[in-house]
Amino acid sequence: MTDNVENNKTIENKISDIKVTDTRVHEKQKELESGPIGLDIGTTNIVVARNRAGAPITMKQLNAFFAIPKSKLTARILSQNDVMYFAKNGQFYIIGNSSEEFANTFNTETRRPIESGLISPREDDGMNVIQALIKSLLQPPKKQGEPVCFSIPGDPIDGNSSVLYHESIIKRALDAMGYKPISINEGFAVVLSELQGENYTGLGISMGGGMCNICLSYLSVPVFSFSIRKGGDYIDTMVGRTVGEPATLIKTIKEKDLNLLREPSNRIETSLQIYYNELINYVVHSIQQVMASSDRMPRLSKPVPIVLSGGTAVVTGVKELFEKALKTARLPIQISGVRIASDPLNTTAKGALTMAVSEEN
Amino acid sequence: MSVPIVIFSIDDTRGTLLQKVLQHNGLQSKLIKRNFELGTVLSKRVPSIVVFDTKDYYSRDFAYLRNICSTYPLATVIALAEDSNVPVLIEIGVRDDLCVREPFNPDLTLAKVKELVFIKNKAHLKVKTYLALIYHLIVGEKDNPYIVFIKKVLTVIALLLSSVVGIAGGFTIWSLSDLPKIQQLEDYSPLETSSVYSTDGKQLGEFFYVHRKTIPYYKIPPHVKDSFLAVEDARFYEHKGIDFYRIGGAFLENIRSKGYSQGASTITQQLAKMLFLKPEKNLSRKIKEAVLSLQIESRYTKDEILGIYLNQAFFGARSYGVEAAAQTYFGKKTEDLSVADAALLAALPKAPSFYSPFKNPSGCLTRRNLVLKMMLNRGYINDDKYKAALAEPLPTEMERPAYKSSYFLDYLKNHLEKQIGEKLFTSGLKIQSTMDSAMQDAAEKAIKKGIETLTRNGDKNLQAALLAVDIKTGGVRAMVGGIDYSTSVFNRVTQAMRQPGSAFKPFVYLAAFKEGYTPNDVIMDREVTYFSKEGGVPWTPQNYTHRFYGNVTLRTAISSSLNGATIYLANKIGMNKVIDAARSTGITSPIYPHLPAAIGVSELTLSELVYAYATLASGTAKRPIFYTTIKDKNDVTIETDGLGEVKVIDDGIVTFVKDVLRSVVEHGTAKAAQSIGRPVYGKTGTTDNYTDAWFVGFDDHLAVGVWVGKDDNKPLKEDSSGSAVALPIWIDFMKSVVNK
Ligand SMILES: Nc1ncnc2c1ncn2[C@@H]1O[C@H](COP(=O)(O)OP(=O)(O)O)[C@@H](O)[C@H]1O
Ligand SMILES: [Mg+2]
C-alpha cells in the first residue's frame, strides 16, 4: 500500500479543501438534558435517546473514524472547522459524521470500531473512538450513577463469537465515565419501543448495518434472542462484488430510493433485490430454526406481531418481502402481521431509554 | 382471601413467563428457584396451588415434590413435564389432568390454575359466579374455567341419575362423558408415504416412517375383502355394528378363559377401538366402544366402513393399510393380489409378527390355510380355487424395491427434511425431482464400465463419481456418488473434498478475461521460481511434460494444461482476482490465497465444480436444484424450486471461456472427446501422484463432471491422468445421452 502514504503537505492541502458540515452536538444543547439515557452502539451509528418534556429525542453520530498524521497546521484546520477529533500516538482521529467526508476526500473508506455488531478485534483504538463519540453526544453525568441503558446484540448463531467481551468492555467504559450502565438486548429494545400496545408481546427485529437482532418477547419476558452477523453492509458488499462496483457506491444507491417491489431497471437494482431477499429469507429461516430447537419456545394460542426496525428495514418493500418469506416458513406460532417501526433508525435507542427509565424508578 | 400460588421453576425464562401470564390474568404468584424457599411461602393449613416445572430438575424421582405433597396436604400441584415423566408424577400424587405435557404451554397452564383458583375460592357458591357463567355460556369462550366446572357438574348429575335409572343407565351416561369425536375418522390423516418421481415419470423412491398408503374402497378386489370378512366378521353386512349373536358365543368363551381377550368385536368395533389412542380393557371402555360403533354405523355405509378398516389395519413390518402390506409382503398392488395372498394378509392383523411369513413360516402357512378354509366354508371361493390357493407358496423375502439413484435420494431426503421437516415422511407428498432416470441409468453404466476397465488393468479400491446438471435450470439430471451405495453411502459428489488439479484452471482464465485478456494474447511458459512474501519455500512449478514452451497464447496454455504459463498468468493478475472469479461462479470452499491454488491445490467437491462449470457455460448463477414441485396428497402444490436469471459473467467473457475450453477438446488434452460428434467443452484435471483424475465439461445442455480416485487418498496407477481415466467415462456418458 505504498502509494497510499502521502506526505503531510499533501494531506494538509487536501483537508483544507474539505467543507465540513458538522452535525456535532453543541454544548448548549447538551446542557438541557439530564436523566436516564438510552444508547444504541451500532455498527453504523451511535444513537442516544433521552426524554425531553416527556417525549424522547434522539441524536446520532456515525460510528466511524479516520486517522491522519498529526501536525500543527492540520490541528488548526480541524478546530477551525469544528471537526471532532482526538490525538493519540502521533495521529489525529477524526470521528463521527465528519470522518466520512475525510475518507471520501482521500478516496478510501472510514474505519469502524464495531465490525458486524461486535467490538472489532482489528481496531485497537475502537473503544477510544466510541468513548469520544459518547462524550460528544452526552455531557458527563450530573450525579454519579445516572442510568445509561445500552443495547447489546444477542449471541450470533452464525459463528462462535460471544457478546460477553463486547458487553463488558462497553460497561467498563460507561462505568469509568460515571454512569450506571445497564445492558439490554437490541431485539428486546425494539419490542419495548414498539409493542406497548400489544403488552410487549411479539418479535422485535432490528436490521442494522452489521447484523440483524431478533428477540421474541411474551408479556415483556424475553423468551429467546439471537443475532445473525449479516445486515445492510453484507448487501452492499455482495452486490458490489456481483456487479463489480465499490460497496460504498452500492450503499449510496441503496439508500437513495430503492424500491424492492418494482421491476429492477438495471443490474445493480436486480442484485440489490436478490441480496435483500436472501438476507430476509436468512432471517426468517434462522427464526424458524431457533424456534424449532428451543425448549423454552412456548405454545402460543394467539398470533403475535413482528416489528422490523433499523436502517436496513427502511427500504420500500421490506415488509412485503418479509411477509412473503414468512409464508414459506414453518413457524410454530402464528404471526398476526408485519410492520415497520415508526422511527426505524432510532427504535433501539428509544427502547433502551424505556428500559433506563424503568430502571430508575 | 385469595389462594397463594407458587411457581417453582429452575428455568428462569419459563418461570418468569408463567408468572407474567398469571399476572396478566389478575393472578399474583410467587416465583421461586430453590427448594428451601418453598417453606417460606406455603402453609400447612391454607390451601395453595403449586406450579412445579420439572424442566431441568436435577432429580428424576422428584423427592422434593413428594415432600411438598406430604408436607402440605392442602396444596394442589400442577406439574409441567415431559410425557415420559408423567407416570412418576402420578405415582407421587399429582393428578393426571394437572400434568401439563411439553411443549411448554403457558395458556393451558393458566387455564388449569384458573380452574383450581375457582374451585378453591369456593366461587361456585357465589351468585356472582352464576351470572358470569351465563355470560360466558352466551359469549362462548373456550378453556373457560366456568365451562369446565359445568362439565364436572354434569358428570355428578350423571352419577346421581344412576340411582334413578338404575346403575347400568347411570354408568352408561357417565361412560359417555368423554367419548372421542367420531369426526376423527373423517379428518383422520394417517401417516402416509411420500414418493419421488423422475422427469420421465418413473417412481424413484419413497420416504416414510411407517409404510402407509390409502387406496379407495372400489379398487380393492372382492376376494381381498372377502378374505377379511371370512376371518374377522362374517356377518358384517347383516349386523348393525355390534353382533349380539357373536357376543353370546364370546361370552361363553370368556368364562372359560377368564378375561376380556376373546374377540367378539365386529369390524366396526375394531374401527371404534382405533379411535382411542391408548388401549384399555375394562367394562367402561367396552361400553364406549360399543356406543361409538353404533354411531359409526349410522353415519357410514358398510362399504365405507370396510374401506376405512382395510386402510387402517396394521400388518406388521411398519406397514399400515392393505396397499402398503401388499407391497411389503408381495411387491404387488392390492388389485393384483391372488386369493392366497389375500388370505395371508387377512391372517396378519390379529398377531402380525407372530404370523409373519418371514419369521414363522409354518405358523403363517397354517393360519393362511385356515383363512382359505373359512373362505371356502362361507362360499366365498369354490373348491378349485381353494385347492389352487393352498398350493401357492409363501413369500420368502421382504420386498425391498432396489432404488438405483440412492445417492440422489439420500441427498434429496436430507435437503427436504431440513426444509419441510417430518411432513416429508408422513404426508403422502409427491415430489417431482429433476432426475432423468434414463440419464441416471446411462451414468451408472458409464461408471460401472469405466471402473471395470480400470480394475482389469490392475488398479484396486477405486471410487468414482459423476454429476450431470442441466445448464439452464440447474436441475440435477444424474448423480452417482460412488461405485456401490450398498457398501458405501458416502456421497463423493457432494461430500468428498478433493483437489481439482488443472480442472481449476478455467477460473484463472476467467479472471484473466475479466481483466481484459483475450484467448489470443501471449503469455510466458518458462521456468520461474516464485518466492512467497511470508518466507515460505521458493517454488518452481513444472509442466506435466517436464518441459517449457516459451511464448504461448492463453488458448494453448489451457488446452495443453501448461502449469508454467497458468501460474505466470495468475501471478500477473493476482490470486485475489482468481479467487474472486472462482467465487463468482459459485465455488464456496476455502481457496488457499497463494499461487499453488491456481493449479488446483485447494479442495472442493465435484458438485461445486460442476455447478461452477454450468455457470461458465451460461454466464448465469447456478445452485443445485433437486426438485421442481412438491404436491400434497390432494395434488395441491406446496413447494416449488427454480432459479432466477442472474447474470454473473458477461456474454463476451462467456464466449472467450467457451473458446478456450473448446480448444482443450480440439487440440489439447481431451481430443478423444471429439468422438462424441457434437461440440463439447471441458477441462481435464490430474493431481500430483495421480490421486485424483477429473474431467469436467459441458455441451449445450448439460454440465457434467467425472471424478476417479480412492477414498484413502492413495494414488491411482501411474499415468492415470484425467484424460486417461475420467475422460473415457465422461465420453461414454455424453454419447449415451445424445438425444436429450
Ligand atoms: N434510507 C435507507 N435505505 C436503505 N438502507 C438504509 C437507509 N438508511 C440506512 N440504511 C442502511 O441501514 C444500515 C444502518 O442502519 P442502522 O440501524 O443505523 O445500523 P447499525 O445498527 O449498524 O448502526 C446501513 O446498512 C445503511 O446502509
Ligand atoms: Mg442497530
Side-chain angles (χ1 to χ4, degrees):
Chain A
M1 284 277 191
T2 42
D3 49 359
N4 272 2
V5 176
E6 303 180 50
N7 62 35
N8 277 6
K9 204 75 231 135
T10 50
I11 291 173
E12 282 156 8
N13 285 341
K14 273 194 177 176
I15 63 168
S16 59
D17 289 342
I18 297 176
K19 289 199 186 49
V20 180
T21 46
D22 195 14
T23 51
R24 184 167 168 186
V25 186
H26 289 279
E27 295 302 319
K28 261 206 219 109
Q29 198 179 340
K30 285 201 284 183
E31 291 294 322
L32 289 172
E33 297 130 20
S34 67
I37 298 156
L39 181 61
D40 167 13
I41 304 178
T43 312
T44 320
N45 291 303
I46 292 194
V47 189
V48 157
R50 325 191 77 154
N51 275 322
R52 190 156 60 184
I57 56 154
T58 57
M59 293 170 292
K60 68 163 73 60
Q61 282 285 346
L62 220 49
N63 194 359
F65 65 104
F66 189 75
I68 53 174
K70 196 166 162 180
S71 84
K72 279 226 177 77
L73 179 59
T74 309
R76 208 169 60 229
I77 300 169
L78 292 181
S79 35
Q80 271 169 4
N81 281 289
D82 231 6
V83 173
M84 289 196 307
Y85 71 96
F86 64 88
K88 205 189 156 208
N89 299 341
Q91 300 226 296
F92 284 140
Y93 287 78
I94 296 157
I95 60 171
N97 297 353
S98 354
S99 65
E100 188 146 72
E101 282 155 273
F102 277 82
N104 287 344
T105 311
F106 287 91
N107 233 335
T108 77
E109 294 185 18
T110 54
R111 289 156 64 182
R112 305 260 191 101
I114 303 268
E115 186 183 315
S116 301
L118 299 171
I119 300 261
S120 170
R122 289 194 298 199
E123 295 290 2
D124 289 339
D125 297 313
M127 209 46 230
N128 292 327
V129 172
I130 292 177
Q131 230 163 338
L133 280 168
I134 294 175
K135 277 189 189 143
S136 81
L137 290 163
L138 297 171
Q139 60 163 162
K142 286 234 174 69
K143 52 179 197 285
Q144 177 74 24
E146 250 181 50
V148 170
C149 181
F150 66 100
S151 60
I152 52 162
D155 277 324
I157 56 166
D158 38 6
N160 49 5
S161 38
S162 146
V163 300
L164 189 69
Y165 175 77
H166 176 87
E167 180 182 359
S168 319
I169 290 281
I170 295 175
K171 219 170 212 161
R172 266 192 220 173
L174 290 170
D175 209 44
M177 290 164 76
Y179 295 104
K180 175 181 152 205
I182 315 154
S183 60
I184 181 174
N185 172 272
E186 177 161 345
F188 188 52
V190 174
V191 171
L192 288 193
S193 123
E194 291 291 318
L195 291 176
Q196 190 180 13
E198 278 91 351
N199 291 314
Y200 303 109
T201 297
L203 270 161
I205 301 180
S206 165
M207 304 176 73
M211 45 164 55
C212 293
N213 264 284
I214 296 104
C215 174
L216 173 70
S217 163
Y218 190 65
L219 296 176
S220 82
V221 180
V223 178
F224 65 72
S225 54
F226 67 93
S227 66
I228 59 176
R229 298 191 79 177
K230 277 183 186 177
D233 297 347
Y234 168 79
I235 295 178
D236 304 342
T237 312
M238 294 311 288
V239 173
R241 241 184 242 173
T242 311
V243 302
E245 297 284 354
T248 40
L249 173 71
I250 306 296
K251 183 165 186 272
T252 316
I253 294 173
K254 178 187 78 175
E255 290 176 10
K256 219 167 98 210
D257 64 344
L258 180 61
N259 179 341
L260 299 168
L261 302 177
R262 80 180 160 222
E263 273 299 301
S265 58
N266 53 44
R267 267 169 6 113
I268 295 186
E269 266 189 37
T270 311
S271 326
L272 274 168
Q273 295 198 355
I274 287 168
Y275 283 104
Y276 242 107
N277 229 322
E278 198 228 62
L279 179 68
I280 288 170
N281 277 309
Y282 184 49
V283 171
V284 171
H285 185 77
S286 348
I287 294 176
Q288 181 182 328
Q289 294 266 298
V290 171
M291 285 189 173
S293 57
S294 165
D295 52 3
R296 294 212 184 114
M297 185 60 210
R299 199 169 262 203
L300 304 183
S301 48
K302 296 202 187 80
V304 303
I306 293 183
V307 186
L308 303 176
S309 70
T312 300
V314 173
V315 171
T316 314
V318 168
K319 173 171 133 53
E320 286 77 5
L321 291 194
F322 211 95
E323 286 166 339
K324 202 167 137 221
L326 280 173
K327 280 212 187 94
T328 59
R330 263 154 276 268
L331 300 186
I333 57 171
Q334 277 179 297
I335 302 300
S336 58
V338 179
R339 65 169 193 257
I340 306 289
S342 54
D343 181 10
L345 286 162
N346 300 319
T347 314
T348 305
K350 285 183 185 169
L353 173 61
T354 308
M355 182 70 146
V357 170
S358 79
E359 198 68 17
E360 196 194 37
N361 299 333
Chain B
M1 237 282 309
S2 65
V3 191
I5 305 170
V6 182
I7 300 169
F8 179 90
S9 179
I10 299 195
D11 185 308
D12 230 2
T13 306
R14 288 175 42 137
T16 317
L17 211 150
L18 272 177
Q19 191 181 28
K20 280 274 170 163
V21 170
L22 295 185
Q23 188 188 354
H24 198 68
N25 285 272
L27 298 168
Q28 296 306 326
S29 60
K30 186 148 171 87
L31 174 62
I32 60 173
K33 292 166 205 156
R34 277 174 292 264
N35 294 355
F36 56 80
E37 287 175 284
L38 207 52
T40 63
V41 191
L42 294 182
S43 148
K44 289 186 182 163
R45 262 159 281 121
V46 183
S48 56
I49 298 168
V50 177
V51 181
F52 192 93
D53 183 5
T54 65
K55 177 171 181 273
D56 293 342
Y57 194 72
Y58 25 85
S59 132
R60 283 299 99 183
D61 67 349
F62 305 106
Y64 180 54
L65 188 60
R66 261 176 234 274
N67 198 6
I68 296 178
C69 290
S70 58
T71 318
Y72 306 102
L74 296 182
T76 308
V77 176
I78 297 174
L80 313 190
E82 290 289 343
D83 211 12
S84 57
N85 283 324
V86 169
V88 186
L89 294 168
I90 291 177
E91 184 254 310
I92 290 174
V94 183
R95 270 162 49 194
D96 189 8
D97 66 318
L98 293 182
C99 291
V100 183
R101 272 100 168 150
E102 294 294 302
F104 183 43
N105 191 335
D107 287 344
L108 183 58
T109 314
L110 168 71
K112 303 265 180 206
V113 174
K114 271 186 175 174
E115 191 188 327
L116 288 180
V117 168
F118 177 80
I119 291 165
K120 297 213 171 199
N121 276 341
K122 303 203 166 51
H124 50 288
L125 302 179
K126 296 173 192 157
V127 177
K128 212 173 86 193
T129 306
Y130 291 96
L131 293 179
L133 179 60
I134 291 165
Y135 170 78
H136 282 295
L137 279 175
I138 295 166
V139 177
E141 199 183 308
K142 257 206 307 185
D143 286 339
N144 181 292
Y146 302 115
I147 308 274
V148 173
F149 178 70
I150 263 294
K151 277 195 189 149
K152 300 222 158 132
V153 171
L154 286 178
T155 314
V156 175
I157 292 175
L159 282 174
L160 289 177
L161 256 182
S162 61
S163 61
V164 183
V165 296
I167 304 276
F171 184 73
T172 310
I173 295 176
W174 173 72
S175 299
L176 299 187
S177 58
D178 63 337
L179 269 183
K181 296 237 162 44
I182 189 167
Q183 283 94 313
Q184 280 178 16
L185 270 185
E186 277 157 79
D187 348 307
Y188 196 82
S189 68
L191 306 180
E192 279 202 62
T193 303
S194 298
S195 301
V196 184
Y197 299 94
S198 67
T199 49
D200 43 350
K202 300 229 167 73
Q203 191 190 45
L204 291 175
E206 295 176 315
F207 299 140
F208 56 84
Y209 290 143
V210 296
H211 195 33
R212 181 186 311 253
K213 283 186 181 166
T214 32
I215 165 177
Y217 172 80
Y218 59 85
K219 277 199 177 166
I220 304 172
H223 63 271
V224 175
K225 291 184 225 167
D226 290 343
S227 63
F228 283 87
L229 292 181
V231 261
E232 297 290 347
D233 193 356
R235 288 167 32 80
F236 178 66
Y237 282 93
E238 280 108 69
H239 63 65
K240 293 259 177 299
I242 301 169
D243 193 354
F244 294 102
Y245 182 79
R246 263 177 83 166
I247 288 181
F251 184 64
L252 292 176
E253 188 70 21
N254 280 336
I255 290 175
R256 255 179 274 144
S257 68
K258 298 201 182 79
Y260 284 106
S261 51
Q262 165 68 34
S265 300
T266 64
I267 280 182
T268 319
Q269 279 170 296
Q270 294 188 39
L271 202 51
K273 204 181 278 173
M274 291 177 193
L275 282 174
F276 294 96
L277 293 176
K278 275 182 277 172
E280 248 178 68
K281 282 189 178 178
N282 56 39
L283 196 54
S284 121
R285 176 64 162 269
K286 285 271 163 199
I287 293 172
K288 288 178 194 169
E289 281 172 19
V291 173
L292 262 185
S293 304
L294 296 176
Q295 291 183 356
I296 292 173
E297 289 277 344
S298 66
R299 207 178 168 111
Y300 300 98
T301 67
K302 287 281 182 187
D303 285 349
E304 282 170 335
I305 295 170
L306 185 55
I308 298 174
Y309 171 80
L310 288 175
N311 275 311
Q312 302 276 8
F314 177 54
F315 291 88
R318 295 206 290 164
S319 303
Y320 287 82
V322 65
E323 178 79 351
Q327 156 100 93
T328 306
Y329 289 97
F330 306 105
K332 292 181 183 174
K333 288 185 168 305
T334 306
E335 306 157 57
D336 304 325
L337 292 173
S338 70
V339 171
D341 298 341
L344 194 158
L345 291 187
L348 285 171
K350 177 146 192 178
S353 114
F354 182 75
Y355 291 122
S356 159
F358 312 129
K359 292 186 196 148
N360 178 8
S362 72
C364 175
L365 189 68
T366 316
R367 183 149 165 94
R368 182 197 75 175
N369 293 348
L370 182 71
V371 176
L372 288 171
K373 181 91 189 173
M374 289 165 102
M375 291 177 78
L376 176 72
N377 291 348
R378 302 198 196 276
Y380 294 143
I381 48 172
N382 61 26
D383 213 44
D384 290 349
K385 279 205 170 149
Y386 172 66
K387 293 217 173 88
L390 281 182
E392 272 190 49
L394 294 181
T396 52
E397 218 173 285
M398 187 96 71
E399 290 289 330
R400 269 190 220 289
Y403 297 122
K404 289 202 154 164
S405 32
S406 304
Y407 289 104
F408 176 77
L409 287 174
D410 239 20
Y411 194 86
L412 183 66
K413 183 173 80 189
N414 292 336
H415 181 78
L416 287 180
E417 196 179 350
K418 275 190 210 122
Q419 191 183 334
I420 59 180
E422 65 170 16
K423 240 175 141 177
L424 179 63
F425 306 103
T426 59
S427 303
L429 306 176
K430 299 178 191 90
I431 300 153
Q432 178 58 59
S433 77
T434 55
M435 154 124 348
D436 179 305
S437 73
M439 275 194 211
Q440 178 68 17
D441 283 350
E444 288 177 15
K445 277 203 196 99
I447 290 278
K448 186 156 181 273
K449 197 170 128 201
I451 293 300
E452 274 169 10
T453 311
L454 294 171
T455 310
R456 217 177 308 122
N457 293 345
D459 213 341
K460 279 199 298 280
N461 292 332
L462 292 171
Q463 271 297 351
L466 182 152
L467 175 67
V469 308
D470 187 309
I471 288 176
K472 202 151 172 264
T473 63
V476 173
R477 309 311 309 277
M479 176 191 273
V480 185
I483 58 168
D484 183 9
Y485 182 81
S486 64
T487 56
S488 162
V489 300
F490 181 69
N491 191 333
R492 290 152 195 89
V493 173
T494 58
Q495 292 175 286
M497 297 289 290
R498 309 288 307 205
Q499 292 187 357
S502 307
F504 186 84
K505 284 179 186 165
F507 308 117
V508 177
Y509 293 83
L510 170 64
F513 297 144
K514 284 187 169 179
E515 288 298 295
Y517 283 84
T518 70
N520 288 321
D521 285 343
V522 173
I523 48 177
M524 290 285 277
D525 184 59
R526 59 153 197 232
E527 180 157 343
V528 180
T529 300
Y530 295 91
F531 296 90
S532 90
K533 287 190 190 101
E534 282 93 42
V537 190
W539 180 53
T540 315
Q542 294 297 326
N543 281 333
Y544 186 76
T545 54
H546 295 286
R547 48 170 288 229
F548 291 95
Y549 299 82
N551 283 345
V552 292
T553 61
L554 267 66
R555 188 182 294 112
T556 307
I558 189 168
S559 65
S560 307
S561 204
L562 301 179
N563 291 342
T566 303
I567 289 161
Y568 171 90
L569 185 62
N571 188 43
K572 196 115 193 214
I573 53 184
M575 271 315 282
N576 56 340
K577 293 261 166 57
V578 173
I579 292 172
D580 283 350
R583 294 268 178 257
S584 76
T585 64
I587 300 283
T588 53
S589 289
I591 303 173
Y592 178 63
H594 299 285
L595 286 173
I599 54 169
V601 299
S602 295
E603 297 170 340
L604 40 68
T605 64
L606 176 59
S607 170
E608 269 179 277
L609 208 49
V610 172
Y611 275 93
Y613 273 62
T615 308
L616 291 178
S618 61
T620 56
K622 294 285 165 315
R623 71 177 158 82
I625 300 286
F626 292 87
Y627 67 91
T628 46
T629 57
I630 300 180
K631 292 183 176 171
D632 68 12
K633 64 176 172 186
N634 304 315
D635 275 333
V636 177
T637 302
I638 56 164
E639 299 276 346
T640 59
D641 197 13
L643 289 175
E645 282 267 311
V646 184
K647 261 259 172 274
V648 289
I649 308 173
D650 293 341
D651 288 342
I653 292 175
V654 171
T655 314
F656 284 164
V657 171
K658 286 173 84 168
D659 172 334
V660 297
L661 292 182
R662 178 89 190 105
S663 77
V664 174
V665 174
E666 278 179 338
H667 314 288
T669 52
K671 281 199 198 108
Q674 288 173 29
S675 66
I676 294 169
R678 63 181 187 275
V680 295
Y681 316 77
K683 184 72 194 79
T684 48
T686 312
T687 52
D688 280 354
N689 309 328
Y690 305 105
T691 48
D692 299 85
W694 305 78
F695 191 79
V696 187
F698 48 89
D699 64 6
D700 293 336
H701 305 289
L702 290 176
V704 180
V706 172
W707 166 87
V708 180
K710 297 184 181 179
D711 283 345
D712 56 9
N713 269 313
K714 294 240 168 71
L716 302 167
K717 253 182 61 179
E718 191 71 9
D719 287 336
S720 298
S721 63
S723 92
V725 172
L727 182 59
I729 298 176
W730 196 87
I731 294 173
D732 197 9
F733 174 75
M734 288 307 258
K735 278 185 180 164
S736 52
V737 298
V738 66
N739 295 323
K740 299 283 162 180

